[in-house]
Amino acid sequence: KQEVTQIPAALSVPEGENLVLNCSFTDSAIYNLQWFRQDPGKGLTSLLLIQSSQREQTSGRLNASLDKSSGRSTLYIAASQPGDSATYLCAVLNYGGATNKLIFGTGTLLAVQP
Amino acid sequence: GAGVSQSPSNKVTEKGKDVELRCDPISGHTALYWYRQSLGQGLEFLIYFQGNSAPDKSGLPSDRFSAERTGGSVSTLTIQRTQQEDSAVYLCASSPYRAEETQYFGPGTRLLVL
């Protein structure tokens, strides 16, 4: 059974710092991994999607890496801003079969202090 | 274009009552998912619809939960005889065709069972 863990559960940093969020998964047979952002009272916004054959994806100040063999992904946020404050969730899609469900981690609550 | 919409945004009900939650996916998206986000439980998959195929109901927690999708578009999640443990945010997502593609989430329906 796939299990997804995110560390840390919460993080507070001053504005301008670079930071790394971690995601680990127990079953390496994944199709892809996605990072989402969730603002309070809102739905999820997809940030980056990494296919299993890829090593990383970049979008603006965000860079996500994937090491499938070790079951790890990181989300790097450069030059953090108060507007980056949100909960960040990673989710994996297991490969094969009829399962089409994303398996989510419990998230990292990020607070960027001005 | 318009994103995924859900209604109602908030619902308060009494234990034992039935509730219906609605999801309007992005136009043209053939895949539709329901997830539940409970406090302390994270996000969990409930059900997946793909075109005219039989839905994947493997995540539904009990037979009090059911969902349908009419005309390949709008979906309704029904919870019968609600219990307090059903209190959660119910999120709907859609993707263009396959689960391997990015899933776009709606804002969710916050359900509180008293």
Side-chain angles (χ1 to χ4, degrees), chain A residues 57-105:
Chain A
Q57 283 284 339
T58 298
S59 176
R61 295 182 293 107
L62 305 180
N63 176 278
S65 68
L66 175 64
D67 183 342
K68 204 172 64 167
S69 61
S70 66
R72 294 179 185 176
S73 177
T74 61
L75 178 66
Y76 175 82
I77 303 177
S80 58
Q81 303 171 357
D84 295 331
S85 299
T87 296
Y88 290 80
L89 295 158
C90 72
V92 300
L93 186 68
N94 275 20
Y95 185 76
T99 56
N100 297 284
K101 55 192 176 191
L102 289 172
I103 309 295
F104 283 86

Coordinates of all heavy atoms in Angstrom, one line a residue, chain A residues 57-105:
Chain A
Q57 N 11.2 19.4 -12.6 CA 10.3 20.3 -13.4 C 10.5 21.7 -12.7 O 10.6 21.7 -11.5 CB 8.8 19.9 -13.4 CG 8.5 18.8 -14.3 CD 8.4 19.2 -15.7 OE1 8.2 20.4 -16.0 NE2 8.5 18.3 -16.6
T58 N 10.4 22.7 -13.5 CA 10.6 24.1 -13.0 C 9.5 24.9 -13.5 O 9.1 24.8 -14.7 CB 12.0 24.6 -13.5 OG1 13.0 23.8 -12.9 CG2 12.1 26.1 -13.0
S59 N 9.1 25.8 -12.6 CA 8.1 26.9 -13.0 C 8.3 28.1 -12.2 O 8.1 28.1 -10.9 CB 6.7 26.4 -12.8 OG 5.7 27.4 -13.0
G60 N 8.9 29.1 -12.8 CA 9.2 30.3 -12.1 C 10.2 30.1 -10.9 O 11.3 29.5 -11.1
R61 N 9.8 30.4 -9.7 CA 10.7 30.3 -8.6 C 10.6 28.9 -8.0 O 11.2 28.6 -7.0 CB 10.3 31.3 -7.5 CG 10.5 32.7 -7.9 CD 10.2 33.7 -6.8 NE 8.8 33.8 -6.5 CZ 8.2 33.2 -5.4 NH1 8.9 32.6 -4.5 NH2 6.9 33.3 -5.2
L62 N 9.8 28.0 -8.6 CA 9.6 26.7 -8.1 C 10.4 25.6 -8.9 O 10.4 25.7 -10.1 CB 8.1 26.3 -8.1 CG 7.1 27.2 -7.4 CD1 5.7 26.7 -7.5 CD2 7.5 27.4 -5.9
N63 N 11.0 24.7 -8.2 CA 11.7 23.6 -8.8 C 11.4 22.3 -8.0 O 11.6 22.3 -6.8 CB 13.2 23.8 -8.9 CG 13.9 22.6 -9.5 OD1 14.2 21.7 -8.8 ND2 14.2 22.7 -10.7
A64 N 10.8 21.3 -8.7 CA 10.5 20.1 -8.1 C 11.4 19.0 -8.7 O 11.6 18.9 -9.9 CB 9.1 19.7 -8.3
S65 N 12.0 18.1 -7.8 CA 12.8 17.0 -8.3 C 12.2 15.7 -7.9 O 11.4 15.7 -6.9 CB 14.2 17.1 -7.6 OG 14.1 16.9 -6.2
L66 N 12.5 14.7 -8.6 CA 12.0 13.4 -8.3 C 13.1 12.3 -8.4 O 13.8 12.3 -9.4 CB 10.9 13.0 -9.3 CG 10.3 11.6 -9.2 CD1 9.6 11.4 -7.9 CD2 9.4 11.3 -10.4
D67 N 13.3 11.6 -7.3 CA 14.2 10.4 -7.3 C 13.3 9.2 -7.0 O 13.0 8.9 -5.9 CB 15.3 10.6 -6.3 CG 16.3 9.5 -6.3 OD1 16.0 8.4 -6.9 OD2 17.4 9.6 -5.7
K68 N 12.9 8.5 -8.1 CA 11.9 7.5 -7.9 C 12.5 6.3 -7.2 O 11.8 5.7 -6.4 CB 11.4 7.0 -9.3 CG 10.1 6.3 -9.3 CD 9.6 6.1 -10.7 CE 10.4 5.1 -11.5 NZ 9.8 4.7 -12.7
S69 N 13.8 6.0 -7.4 CA 14.4 4.8 -6.8 C 14.5 4.9 -5.3 O 14.3 3.9 -4.6 CB 15.8 4.6 -7.4 OG 16.6 5.7 -7.2
S70 N 14.7 6.2 -4.8 CA 14.7 6.3 -3.4 C 13.4 6.8 -2.8 O 13.3 6.9 -1.6 CB 15.8 7.4 -3.0 OG 15.4 8.7 -3.5
G71 N 12.4 7.0 -3.6 CA 11.1 7.3 -3.2 C 11.0 8.7 -2.6 O 10.4 8.9 -1.5
R72 N 11.7 9.7 -3.2 CA 11.7 11.0 -2.7 C 11.5 12.1 -3.8 O 11.8 11.9 -4.9 CB 13.1 11.3 -2.1 CG 13.4 10.5 -0.8 CD 14.7 10.8 -0.3 NE 15.1 9.9 0.8 CZ 16.2 9.9 1.5 NH1 17.2 10.8 1.1 NH2 16.4 9.1 2.5
S73 N 10.8 13.2 -3.3 CA 10.7 14.3 -4.1 C 10.9 15.6 -3.2 O 10.6 15.5 -2.0 CB 9.3 14.4 -4.8 OG 9.1 15.6 -5.5
T74 N 11.4 16.6 -3.8 CA 11.6 17.8 -3.1 C 11.0 19.0 -3.9 O 11.0 19.0 -5.2 CB 13.1 18.2 -2.8 OG1 13.8 18.3 -4.1 CG2 13.7 17.1 -2.0
L75 N 10.4 19.9 -3.2 CA 10.0 21.2 -3.8 C 10.8 22.3 -3.3 O 10.8 22.6 -2.1 CB 8.5 21.4 -3.5 CG 7.9 22.7 -4.1 CD1 7.9 22.7 -5.6 CD2 6.5 23.0 -3.6
Y76 N 11.5 22.9 -4.2 CA 12.4 24.0 -3.8 C 11.7 25.4 -4.2 O 11.3 25.5 -5.3 CB 13.7 23.9 -4.6 CG 14.7 25.0 -4.4 CD1 15.5 25.1 -3.3 CD2 14.8 26.0 -5.4 CE1 16.5 26.1 -3.2 CE2 15.7 27.1 -5.3 CZ 16.6 27.1 -4.1 OH 17.5 28.1 -4.0
I77 N 11.6 26.3 -3.2 CA 11.0 27.6 -3.5 C 12.1 28.6 -3.3 O 12.7 28.7 -2.2 CB 9.8 27.9 -2.6 CG1 8.8 26.8 -2.7 CG2 9.3 29.2 -2.9 CD1 7.6 27.0 -1.8
A78 N 12.4 29.3 -4.3 CA 13.5 30.4 -4.2 C 12.9 31.7 -3.8 O 11.8 32.0 -4.2 CB 14.2 30.5 -5.6
A79 N 13.7 32.4 -3.1 CA 13.3 33.8 -2.7 C 11.9 33.9 -2.3 O 11.0 34.6 -2.9 CB 13.6 34.8 -3.9
S80 N 11.6 33.2 -1.2 CA 10.2 33.1 -0.7 C 9.5 34.5 -0.5 O 10.2 35.4 -0.1 CB 10.1 32.2 0.5 OG 10.9 32.8 1.6
Q81 N 8.2 34.5 -0.7 CA 7.4 35.7 -0.5 C 6.3 35.4 0.4 O 5.8 34.3 0.5 CB 6.9 36.2 -1.8 CG 8.0 36.5 -2.9 CD 7.4 36.8 -4.2 OE1 6.2 36.7 -4.5 NE2 8.3 37.1 -5.2
P82 N 5.7 36.4 1.1 CA 4.5 36.2 2.0 C 3.4 35.5 1.2 O 2.6 34.7 1.8 CB 4.2 37.6 2.5 CG 5.5 38.3 2.5 CD 6.2 37.8 1.3
G83 N 3.3 35.9 -0.1 CA 2.2 35.2 -0.9 C 2.4 33.8 -1.1 O 1.5 33.1 -1.6
D84 N 3.6 33.2 -0.7 CA 3.8 31.8 -0.9 C 3.2 31.0 0.3 O 3.2 29.8 0.3 CB 5.3 31.5 -0.9 CG 5.9 32.0 -2.2 OD1 5.3 32.2 -3.2 OD2 7.2 32.4 -2.1
S85 N 2.7 31.7 1.3 CA 2.2 31.1 2.5 C 0.9 30.3 2.1 O 0.0 30.9 1.6 CB 1.8 32.2 3.6 OG 3.0 32.9 4.0
A86 N 1.0 29.0 2.4 CA -0.1 28.1 2.1 C 0.3 26.7 2.6 O 1.3 26.5 3.1 CB -0.3 28.1 0.6
T87 N -0.6 25.8 2.3 CA -0.3 24.4 2.6 C 0.1 23.7 1.3 O -0.5 23.9 0.3 CB -1.5 23.6 3.2 OG1 -1.8 24.1 4.5 CG2 -1.1 22.1 3.3
Y88 N 1.3 23.0 1.3 CA 1.8 22.4 0.1 C 1.6 20.9 0.2 O 2.0 20.3 1.2 CB 3.2 22.8 -0.1 CG 3.4 24.2 -0.5 CD1 3.3 25.2 0.4 CD2 3.5 24.6 -1.9 CE1 3.4 26.6 0.1 CE2 3.6 25.9 -2.2 CZ 3.6 26.9 -1.3 OH 3.7 28.2 -1.6
L89 N 1.0 20.3 -0.8 CA 0.7 18.9 -0.8 C 1.4 18.2 -2.0 O 1.4 18.7 -3.1 CB -0.8 18.6 -0.9 CG -1.7 19.1 0.2 CD1 -3.1 19.4 -0.2 CD2 -1.7 18.1 1.4
C90 N 2.0 17.1 -1.7 CA 2.5 16.2 -2.8 C 1.5 15.0 -2.9 O 0.9 14.6 -2.0 CB 3.9 15.8 -2.6 SG 4.2 14.5 -1.4
A91 N 1.4 14.5 -4.1 CA 0.5 13.4 -4.4 C 1.2 12.5 -5.5 O 1.7 13.1 -6.5 CB -0.8 13.9 -4.9
V92 N 1.0 11.2 -5.4 CA 1.5 10.3 -6.4 C 0.4 9.5 -7.0 O -0.6 9.3 -6.4 CB 2.6 9.3 -5.8 CG1 3.7 10.1 -5.2 CG2 1.9 8.4 -4.7
L93 N 0.6 9.2 -8.3 CA -0.3 8.4 -9.0 C 0.4 7.0 -9.2 O 1.4 7.0 -9.9 CB -0.7 9.0 -10.3 CG -1.8 8.3 -11.1 CD1 -3.1 8.4 -10.4 CD2 -1.9 8.9 -12.5
N94 N -0.2 6.0 -8.6 CA 0.4 4.7 -8.8 C 0.3 4.1 -10.2 O -0.8 4.4 -10.8 CB -0.1 3.7 -7.8 CG 0.5 3.7 -6.5 OD1 1.2 4.7 -6.1 ND2 0.4 2.7 -5.7
Y95 N 1.2 3.4 -10.6 CA 1.2 2.9 -12.0 C 0.5 1.6 -12.1 O 0.6 0.7 -11.2 CB 2.7 2.7 -12.5 CG 2.8 2.3 -14.0 CD1 2.6 3.3 -14.9 CD2 3.1 1.0 -14.3 CE1 2.7 3.0 -16.3 CE2 3.2 0.7 -15.7 CZ 3.0 1.7 -16.6 OH 3.1 1.3 -18.0
G96 N -0.2 1.4 -13.2 CA -0.8 0.1 -13.5 C -2.2 -0.1 -12.9 O -2.6 0.6 -12.0
G97 N -2.9 -1.1 -13.4 CA -4.2 -1.4 -12.9 C -5.2 -0.4 -13.2 O -5.1 0.5 -14.0
A98 N -6.4 -0.5 -12.5 CA -7.5 0.4 -12.8 C -7.5 1.6 -11.8 O -8.4 2.4 -11.8 CB -8.8 -0.4 -12.7
T99 N -6.5 1.6 -11.0 CA -6.5 2.7 -10.0 C -6.1 4.0 -10.7 O -5.2 4.1 -11.4 CB -5.5 2.4 -8.8 OG1 -4.2 2.3 -9.4 CG2 -5.9 1.2 -8.0
N100 N -6.9 5.0 -10.4 CA -6.7 6.3 -11.0 C -6.7 7.4 -9.9 O -6.9 8.5 -10.2 CB -7.7 6.6 -12.0 CG -7.7 5.7 -13.2 OD1 -6.9 5.8 -14.0 ND2 -8.6 4.7 -13.2
K101 N -6.4 7.0 -8.7 CA -6.5 7.9 -7.6 C -5.1 8.4 -7.2 O -4.2 7.7 -7.1 CB -7.2 7.2 -6.4 CG -6.5 6.0 -6.0 CD -7.3 5.2 -5.0 CE -6.7 3.9 -4.6 NZ -7.6 3.0 -3.9
L102 N -5.1 9.7 -6.9 CA -3.9 10.3 -6.3 C -3.9 10.0 -4.9 O -4.9 10.0 -4.2 CB -4.0 11.8 -6.5 CG -3.8 12.4 -7.9 CD1 -4.1 13.9 -7.9 CD2 -2.4 12.1 -8.4
I103 N -2.7 9.6 -4.4 CA -2.4 9.4 -3.0 C -1.7 10.6 -2.5 O -0.6 10.9 -2.9 CB -1.6 8.1 -2.8 CG1 -2.2 6.9 -3.5 CG2 -1.4 7.8 -1.3 CD1 -3.5 6.5 -3.1
F104 N -2.3 11.2 -1.5 CA -1.8 12.5 -1.0 C -1.0 12.3 0.2 O -1.3 11.5 1.1 CB -2.9 13.5 -0.7 CG -3.5 14.1 -2.0 CD1 -4.5 13.5 -2.7 CD2 -3.1 15.4 -2.4 CE1 -5.1 14.1 -3.8 CE2 -3.6 15.9 -3.5 CZ -4.6 15.3 -4.2
G105 N 0.0 13.2 0.4 CA 0.7 13.4 1.7 C -0.2 14.3 2.6 O -1.2 14.8 2.1

